[in-house]
Amino acid sequence: MSRLFGTDGVRGVANQDLTAELALKLGEAAARELGGDNPHPRVVVARDTRISGRMLEAALSAGVTSGGGHVLSCGVLSTPAVAYLVRRWEAHGGVVISGSHNAYADNGIKFFGPDGYKLDDTTERRIEEQLERQWPRPTDAGLGKIVEIPEGESLYADHALRALEGRSLRGMRVVIDCANGAAYRTAPLVFRNAGAEVIVINDAPDGLNINAGCGSMWPEVVAGQVVRMKADLGLAHDGDADRVIAVDENGNIVDGDAMLAMLALELKQQDRLTGNVVVSTVMANLGLRQALAREGIELVETPVGDRYVIEAMRVQRAAIGGEQSGHIVTSSFSTTGDGLVTGLRVAGRMASTGQKLSSLSRVVERFPQVLINVAVTDRHAVSSSHRIQAAIEEAKRSISGRILVRPSGTEPVVRVMVEATDADAASAAANSIAAAIRGES
């Protein structure tokens, strides 16, 4: 049996790859696997705002209850909120139905264990194996229940607010782009409770407009509003709010590398940077490496994906880690990427220092970096293509820098990243590799 789980749960086009039938089976299998010997495991379930969410939630919840599990249904909530509530309620696991930063037609099913962390490979394989087995189903009182718990949102909001550690955002004007996704209520609520003046955009989800020309994949949208409204800070979430991209008062984008460095330096100044390490991926800009090295901080690198960052953080017992894409994990507040907590920490840093974000983010001097996403039919064919490998080797000879070519873990694309001292050379090298990949597709 081929692997069903990718790098971040089970993904696909809703009602085509990711069907109601599959969601039902996954729900039943997860209830049996996560419950262990408990006949009535409790599973926290939430979704983002895309049109297929209710369908898949209904099917998955039916599967969980068919396996004897009790569903703690929270409606529309972010991925980090579910990770928190699993621990808060001492549940056996959690499920988020979300396609993250992808377009509305896609969706995904992401699982969390009782510790609030995403499942490891071994547990995912056991769930896959459960799909092939026939189990006697409970009847009568053996059936599970679906319990709606609307207060999950307010509990998470209170938890996220604690990330400010007592700092007030009074006098700060913040523009928040909710991507018409899971953060559309929670993020504005929390920032207002923190004292900020909040200007909200893209907070009217209709099932089809999630991530559509907005959010973390389109940070220029919030940047324009920051400049127009003379705001101090802009924050752009993605569909499930586990990542965020910031914008300074001049409309300049502040990505995950810069936020990671800013927040890591704050922790070091507070003597809270355990192990004196920061975890990031091979995609991290050389500027991040240099910024941390200047402060004597070790950078531990992982493959791309917040899951790998978190695994390394647990091994290293690191206080903070993240990705350039805006997935930032702060161990004392989150077990997964949390865009709301990250945004609050950035705003709190601004408030406590009295510095503008443009000043704080200068800690990272970025090297020119070009990223091209190439649509393909087989994203794993790159390694076997002599033409593509030849193009990569030729590009390496043309630059002073580094090249990464990798298949996406969640989309049918190959990502080409070139980092060099010269922007034009980086662009030319990236485009030559992308052309070779297109020629093989």
Side-chain angles (χ1 to χ4, degrees):
M1 176 182 176
S2 60
R3 286 302 309 271
L4 184 62
F5 283 83
T7 56
D8 195 15
V10 180
R11 299 288 191 103
V13 176
N15 218 33
Q16 179 177 303
D17 309 309
L18 189 55
T19 63
E21 293 87 349
L22 177 56
L24 187 144
K25 291 179 181 178
L26 282 168
E28 184 174 6
R32 295 186 185 281
E33 178 59 35
L34 296 174
D37 295 331
N38 191 312
H40 293 297
R42 295 179 304 131
V43 181
V44 180
V45 177
R47 66 181 190 279
D48 69 20
T49 58
R50 63 195 73 213
I51 191 171
S52 58
R54 286 184 181 274
M55 174 189 75
L56 294 172
E57 179 188 32
L60 182 130
S61 297
V64 172
T65 54
S66 176
H70 296 324
V71 172
L72 309 181
S73 178
C74 297
V76 173
L77 265 187
S78 68
T79 289
V82 170
Y84 166 71
L85 292 171
V86 167
R87 303 192 311 278
R88 169 73 183 252
W89 291 333
E90 298 183 343
H92 295 83
V95 183
V96 182
I97 298 165
S98 173
S100 257
H101 60 280
N102 290 355
Y104 79 91
D106 295 322
N107 216 326
I109 300 177
K110 299 189 277 191
F111 293 90
F112 290 89
D115 55 3
Y117 287 97
K118 291 178 181 177
L119 302 183
D120 58 29
D121 287 339
T122 301
T123 306
E124 287 180 346
R125 286 195 183 94
R126 288 202 295 263
I127 289 176
E128 289 176 345
E129 291 167 0
Q130 296 269 23
L131 298 177
E132 303 297 314
R133 302 178 66 175
Q134 295 294 322
W135 293 91
R137 287 177 171 163
T139 58
D140 303 322
L143 287 170
K145 303 174 184 177
I146 299 177
V147 182
E148 294 184 0
I149 309 184
E151 62 266 30
E153 182 175 36
S154 61
L155 289 172
Y156 168 68
D158 291 342
H159 163 74
L161 190 59
R162 286 194 284 273
L164 281 173
E165 298 179 317
R167 294 172 289 193
S168 171
L169 302 185
R170 190 166 289 107
M172 187 177 295
R173 177 177 286 183
V174 182
V175 180
I176 301 178
D177 184 343
C178 299
N180 295 309
Y184 81 101
R185 292 188 305 256
T186 316
L189 169 70
V190 172
F191 269 85
R192 287 182 178 126
N193 287 346
E197 177 189 349
V198 180
I199 299 162
V200 190
I201 61 175
N202 299 307
D203 61 335
D206 62 9
L208 308 178
N209 60 2
I210 186 172
N211 301 317
C214 59
S216 63
M217 301 298 287
W218 302 81
E220 62 272 18
V221 175
V222 75
Q225 287 293 327
V226 166
V227 173
R228 197 170 300 117
M229 303 303 296
K230 298 181 180 179
D232 302 292
L233 169 67
L235 296 169
H237 291 282
D238 70 334
D240 70 332
D242 63 351
R243 68 168 77 177
V244 71
I245 294 293
V247 171
D248 71 18
E249 73 282 359
N250 300 313
N252 297 315
I253 294 169
V254 179
D255 66 9
D257 286 344
M259 290 187 287
L260 189 56
M262 287 167 46
L263 300 180
L265 293 184
E266 179 180 48
L267 290 171
K268 184 176 177 66
Q269 290 166 6
Q270 297 169 343
D271 198 27
R272 295 164 59 191
L273 190 67
T274 52
N276 204 39
V277 299
V278 170
V279 179
S280 190
T281 75
V282 293
M283 291 291 285
N285 193 274
L286 182 57
L288 172 63
R289 294 171 172 80
Q290 292 185 343
L292 297 178
R294 284 195 299 269
E295 300 296 327
I297 300 171
E298 179 187 358
L299 178 66
V300 175
E301 289 189 354
T302 74
V304 175
D306 66 319
R307 171 179 174 174
Y308 302 113
V309 169
I310 294 165
E311 287 175 358
M313 288 180 66
R314 297 180 77 179
V315 171
Q316 298 287 334
R317 299 190 177 182
I320 193 167
E323 295 185 281
Q324 191 180 87
S325 60
H327 285 112
I328 307 291
V329 185
T330 306
S331 295
S332 54
F333 295 100
S334 309
T335 54
T336 189
D338 192 323
L340 180 52
V341 164
T342 300
L344 289 166
R345 298 285 292 174
V346 168
R349 181 70 168 152
M350 293 168 62
S352 60
T353 61
Q355 295 185 55
K356 295 181 178 181
L357 184 55
S358 59
S359 175
L360 289 169
S361 63
R362 280 195 207 110
V363 65
V364 172
E365 297 179 17
R366 290 185 57 81
F367 279 59
Q369 195 177 71
V370 177
L371 176 64
I372 300 177
N373 295 322
V374 186
V376 294
T377 52
D378 181 3
R379 60 189 178 188
H380 299 291
V382 172
S383 59
S384 61
S385 168
H386 296 298
R387 178 181 176 184
I388 295 172
Q389 293 303 314
I392 294 171
E393 291 305 314
E394 177 66 25
K396 285 180 178 178
R397 289 190 289 270
S398 71
I399 65 165
S400 174
R402 65 192 184 107
I403 294 172
L404 288 172
V405 180
R406 66 176 187 88
S408 167
T410 60
E411 302 173 85
V413 300
V414 170
R415 306 196 195 281
V416 179
M417 191 280 285
V418 179
E419 185 178 78
T421 54
D422 181 84
D424 291 337
S427 180
N431 279 295
S432 68
I433 297 170
I437 295 172
R438 293 188 188 101
E440 295 287 276
S441 299

